[in-house]
Amino acid sequence: MTDTRIPTARLGAQGPEVGVQGLGCMGMSFGYGPTDTDQARAALDRALELGVTLYDTADAYGAGENERFLAPFFRAHRDEVVIATKFALSIPKDDPTRRIIRNDSPYIREAVEGSLQRLGVDVIDLYYMHRRDVNVPIEETVGTMAELVREGKVKHLGLSEVTADELRAAHAVHPIAAVQSEWSLFSRDIEAHVVPAARELGVALVPYSPLGRGFLTGAFANADKDLSSDDFRRQQPRFTGDNAAANAALLQPLHTIAAAHDASAAQIALAWVQQRATVDSLSVIPIPGTRKASRVEENVGATRITLTEDELAQLEPIAGKVAGERYADMAFTSAGRE
C-alpha cells in the first residue's frame, strides 16, 4: 500500500478543497453493531495520513455520541480536517428510539450549539440539513442556516436527501456547497433530477453508502442471518429475505471486473462512484464508512482505478434489477418526493 495522498476536489463553487474521498464516521459508534474504539481511532489517523480530509458525522448518530467520539481527533488536527455534521433528526426525551424531523429555526439554533459543544470546536466547516421537513419552507430553513454562516458558527451549507427543486430553492437563498444522498451501483435514483441540478448550480455530490452499506463488498449476504440484532441494516428491505438472495446474484460482474484489476469488489464499487465525477461532470466526494485502518487503505486504493467503457457498461444494468427499496419508508428520501 503506497502512502501517496489522494487528489483533492472542491466542495461546491466556493467550498473547501478536500480529498476526493471522505470518511463516513457513523459506524464508529452507532448503527452497525459492536465497535472497537481503538481500531476506529486508528482508522481516523490512517485516513488523514492518506489525504482523507472530509469527516462526516451527525448529531443523531448515537444521540451525539459519534460527535463526542470524534472530538479529540478533530481538535488534534483542526487545521487539517473538514468537519461535516448534520441537524434535523430530533430525538424525543421520552423515546430515544424515535426520530422526529425538524427544520424549524429554534430547533436548528439549538442543534448547532449542541454540535459545537460536543465537537469541541468554534465553527463547523460543513453543516447539513439531514432530512427535509416538508411542513417548513426550505427557504426558511436555509435562511436560518445562512444566519449561522454570518454569525461565524458555520462555514458552508449542505443538504441531504433533497429533490432537485428543493436544491434550487435552497441555493437561491444561500450557496449550497454539497448535497449528500445515497449513490452506488445499487442506488441511482438521484441521477434523474438531483445530479443535473447539482451540476447546473456547481454543487458537489457527497454519496453516502457508496458500498451499499457493505453489501457490495460481500461483508454480508443476508442481514437477518449475518448481522447482530442491533444492526439497523436488518430494517432495510433489500438486505433481507428473498431480496437479499436476488441482489447477491447481481454482483457477478463486480467480482469479474475486480479480478481483472487485481482489486477487491469494494474497490471496484467505489471506483464506479468516484468515476461519476467524470461521467456526470461535477465534483463527487464519496464517504465510505469503515472502522478499520486496513479498510481505509483499501477504499483509498479505489481512487487509483479507472474503469473502461466496457466495464462501465457491464455494471450499468445492476441498479435497475435491485429488489427492495433502500429504506422501508422512502418518504424521507429525495426519491420519495420527486
Side-chain angles (χ1 to χ4, degrees), residues 105-128:
S105 183
Y107 178 74
I108 295 170
R109 289 193 164 277
E110 176 186 338
V112 75
E113 296 299 340
S115 287
L116 286 167
Q117 182 179 36
R118 287 186 294 271
L119 292 166
V121 297
D122 296 326
V123 61
I124 294 165
D125 300 310
L126 178 60
Y127 200 41
Y128 285 103

Side-chain angles (χ1 to χ4, degrees), residues 96-216:
T97 65
R98 290 181 61 212
R99 299 290 187 273
I100 299 173
I101 300 178
R102 290 185 60 181
N103 290 175
D104 56 282
S105 183
Y107 178 74
I108 295 170
R109 289 193 164 277
E110 176 186 338
V112 75
E113 296 299 340
S115 287
L116 286 167
Q117 182 179 36
R118 287 186 294 271
L119 292 166
V121 297
D122 296 326
V123 61
I124 294 165
D125 300 310
L126 178 60
Y127 200 41
Y128 285 103
M129 180 188 77
H130 202 163
R131 289 293 185 271
R132 171 91 169 94
D133 179 358
V134 296
N135 297 308
V136 179
I138 196 161
E139 294 87 351
E140 179 181 319
T141 299
V142 177
T144 299
M145 296 169 72
E147 291 174 2
L148 300 181
V149 175
R150 290 192 289 272
E151 293 165 13
K153 296 176 180 179
V154 170
K155 290 183 180 179
H156 304 282
L157 303 185
L159 304 171
S160 180
E161 290 288 0
V162 292
T163 67
D165 287 345
E166 289 164 349
L167 173 57
R168 289 190 177 96
H171 196 75
V173 176
H174 187 279
I176 301 300
V179 167
Q180 186 174 132
S181 286
E182 188 165 356
W183 199 6
S184 73
L185 283 168
F186 264 27
S187 300
R188 298 181 59 180
D189 49 72
I190 66 168
E191 292 175 29
H193 303 289
V194 177
V195 169
R199 179 172 58 244
E200 167 195 327
L201 299 170
V203 176
L205 250 297
V206 178
Y208 72 83
S209 300
L211 295 174
R213 302 190 186 278
F215 193 85
L216 292 169

Side-chain angles (χ1 to χ4, degrees), residues 196-254:
R199 179 172 58 244
E200 167 195 327
L201 299 170
V203 176
L205 250 297
V206 178
Y208 72 83
S209 300
L211 295 174
R213 302 190 186 278
F215 193 85
L216 292 169
T217 74
F220 70 102
N222 186 300
D224 288 332
K225 299 176 181 178
D226 301 335
L227 303 178
S228 62
S229 60
D230 58 348
D231 193 308
F232 88 108
R233 288 171 291 185
R234 290 167 63 106
Q235 303 168 25
Q236 295 184 297
R238 60 180 47 170
F239 301 139
T240 58
D242 292 341
N243 286 347
N247 292 336
L250 300 175
L251 300 181
Q252 187 54 52
L254 189 64

